[in-house]
Amino acid sequence: MSMVQEKVKSFVGKYETFKVKEHPHHHRLYHIELKSEALDLFLAGNEEVNSQQLEYVPYMRLILAKRLETILGETFAKTIREILHDRNSGGFTIGMQNQTTEVEDYIKFSTALTHLVGGVNFDAMSGTYYARFSVKDTDDSDSYLRQAYRLFTLHTDGTFVDEPTDWLLMMKFAEENAVGGESRLLHLDDWEELEKFSNHPLATTRIEYKAPASKNVTQTVYNQTFYEQNGKPCICFIDQFAYPQTLEQASYLKELSDSMENSPATIALPLPVGDLVMINNTFWLHGRAPFEKNPKLYRELLRQRGYFAKV
């Protein structure tokens, strides 16, 4: 067993209201299972809360988080924070365990979870703190996000906004007639060419990023591709919205993207309806495999992203 695998298992255990397991599809991720009674208690105790209230009354998001912590215990909140901060892991999956298929429940649970971790960024694409979007057979959008039959290349979120984006949550709401389209994930420390690209002379050059019209963000930002946290390299990159100024910068970004896409450490992760994946956005990259063609294809996802609490 490698040192990394030993460290990743450090959170595995059975607690009073939840269980942390090794993830069956990725050696760095965990899968968390809640006691069904605890999840039922959270859902039943928040029937009066709805998504409109969460959008209009921001402190209700924190009230939900506190209610979830009260039911699951402070150990649960501490565990998910520590997993996300842990460089050897930085991610987990968790879900509704077939106890509900209601969209409102999905929104409430994911909101409670994220607000145990920190603050949530405003999502200009949707006009609130989360985004819901669908992937269908046809689409005329201006990015790969909704284009089902294209490879959605590996990237980090928050590249074109001037605010920290430390973590990312993606939850699957619905899926019909879908073959392929798995989430693709790459942990920086598994990438065999990390040292080559993070030590490159252009690694810390500030690259211009601009969003397409659908993102509803008009500002231009400049970000380093690689930066350091706690003595380790972190990354900020998306190929679609980068505007390098020189041939050398463009070649560097293209070679970097190709290297990650072709890395054997890039893993396809299946995610059942009602489950979510939450990852540290500073050292995990994510994307999506293409779907197989189907006129009746439909998938709906929820996205939340934000920053870690400072206390």
Side-chain angles (χ1 to χ4, degrees):
M1 183 185 299
S2 72
M3 184 64 70
V4 168
Q5 288 173 316
E6 287 179 357
K7 289 180 179 178
V8 167
K9 290 184 178 181
S10 62
F11 292 98
V12 170
K14 188 174 183 180
Y15 303 84
E16 185 177 349
T17 57
F18 65 99
K19 183 188 300 183
V20 181
K21 299 179 174 181
E22 298 173 45
H23 200 282
H25 298 289
H26 201 294
H27 72 281
R28 288 191 182 271
L29 295 176
Y30 294 97
H31 181 67
I32 301 175
E33 288 184 1
L34 304 179
K35 277 197 171 180
S36 58
E37 299 87 352
L39 184 53
D40 279 340
L41 195 60
F42 173 77
L43 296 173
N46 293 287
E47 287 182 347
E48 84 288 355
V49 180
N50 59 60
S51 57
Q52 185 183 72
Q53 185 182 22
L54 294 173
E55 292 173 29
Y56 290 3
V57 187
Y59 71 70
M60 279 304 302
R61 307 166 199 169
L62 295 165
I63 297 298
L64 268 190
K66 182 59 179 175
R67 290 175 180 175
L68 184 64
E69 183 182 56
T70 298
I71 293 167
L72 296 178
E74 292 183 5
T75 300
F76 174 79
K78 182 173 181 285
T79 299
I80 62 171
R81 291 185 199 121
E82 289 182 349
I83 289 173
L84 290 170
H85 281 279
D86 178 22
R87 177 75 184 210
N88 290 299
S89 175
F92 62 87
T93 58
I94 191 171
M96 307 310 293
Q97 302 170 183
N98 298 315
Q99 290 179 239
T100 179
T101 58
E102 295 295 326
V103 164
E104 288 286 309
D105 289 337
Y106 292 174
I107 294 172
K108 285 184 279 190
F109 180 73
S110 61
T111 297
L113 199 66
T114 56
H115 285 74
L116 286 178
V117 170
V120 178
N121 293 341
F122 178 75
D123 199 309
M125 188 177 81
S126 64
T128 186
Y129 72 94
Y130 66 91
R132 288 173 60 184
F133 54 90
S134 60
V135 180
K136 297 180 284 190
D137 178 55
T138 58
D139 179 73
D140 58 359
S141 66
D142 54 10
S143 78
Y144 293 153
L145 181 65
R146 294 183 176 88
Q147 295 185 16
Y149 307 121
R150 291 181 180 273
L151 174 70
F152 193 0
T153 44
L154 292 166
H155 62 282
T156 59
D157 270 28
T159 55
F160 54 80
V161 294
D162 188 19
E163 59 187 342
T165 307
D166 297 327
W167 55 261
L168 169 70
L169 176 148
M170 295 175 289
M171 186 173 194
K172 187 177 290 185
F173 274 23
E175 187 168 73
E176 299 171 11
N177 305 301
V179 178
E182 297 89 358
S183 296
R184 299 172 69 245
L185 297 173
L186 174 64
H187 189 289
L188 269 189
D189 295 345
D190 292 335
W191 180 27
E192 59 281 0
E193 293 195 295
L194 170 61
E195 186 174 348
K196 170 186 172 181
F197 285 98
S198 62
N199 292 329
H200 191 280
L202 294 175
T204 56
T205 297
R206 292 194 175 276
I207 302 295
E208 180 180 358
Y209 280 91
K210 293 186 290 189
S214 66
K215 305 299 183 184
N216 297 321
V217 175
T218 57
Q219 70 180 137
T220 296
V221 299
Y222 296 84
N223 285 313
Q224 296 178 194
T225 304
F226 287 95
Y227 59 98
E228 192 174 287
Q229 280 187 359
N230 301 318
K232 296 279 191 176
C234 296
I235 190 167
C236 176
F237 172 73
I238 187 169
D239 58 358
Q240 297 175 70
F241 313 139
Y243 286 78
Q245 298 301 304
T246 67
L247 298 177
E248 291 76 16
Q249 290 174 13
S251 295
Y252 169 71
L253 295 181
K254 178 66 165 64
E255 290 171 13
L256 175 148
S257 182
D258 288 347
S259 174
M260 293 190 298
E261 294 300 331
N262 294 316
S263 171
T266 297
I267 303 297
L269 182 78
L271 191 68
V273 172
D275 273 23
L276 63 85
V277 58
M278 197 168 184
I279 53 175
N280 187 310
N281 188 58
T282 69
F283 52 78
W284 278 98
L285 296 109
H286 64 283
R288 187 187 64 228
F291 290 91
E292 291 186 15
K293 177 73 174 176
N294 191 317
K296 296 182 179 180
L297 169 68
Y298 181 77
R299 172 186 285 175
E300 185 178 2
L301 296 175
L302 172 142
R303 175 185 67 207
Q304 292 186 49
R305 51 196 178 192
Y307 52 92
F308 290 127
K310 302 303 181 187
V311 292

